[in-house]
């Protein structure tokens, strides 16, 4: 993964889920996953503009 949520070595797909978090805490992962999804939405929106 890179800073723009793109998969290394594959053109096109992005990952926006908890699997990209390098260290999963013992707490709830809902809020960090929502933040990742919001970042992905912003990146996709800015890419289209």
């Amino acid at each position: 993964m890179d800073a723009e949520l793109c998969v290394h070595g594959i053109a096109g797909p992005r990952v926006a889920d908890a699997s990209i978090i390098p260290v999963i805490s013992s707490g709830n992962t809902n809020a960090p996953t929502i933040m990742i999804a919001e970042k992905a939405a912003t990146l996709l929106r800015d890419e289209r503009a």
Side-chain angles (χ1 to χ4, degrees):
M1 301 300 308
D2 63 14
E4 294 188 356
L5 305 176
C6 293
V7 178
H8 291 290
I10 303 174
R14 295 179 189 260
V15 175
D17 63 14
S19 70
I20 68 169
I21 301 173
V23 177
I24 301 292
S25 68
S26 60
N28 191 338
T29 59
N30 186 43
T33 303
I34 291 171
M35 291 171 51
I36 292 166
E38 288 177 352
K39 175 69 174 179
T42 300
L43 290 169
L44 291 171
R45 183 192 65 220
D46 292 347
E47 186 178 277
R48 288 184 152 197

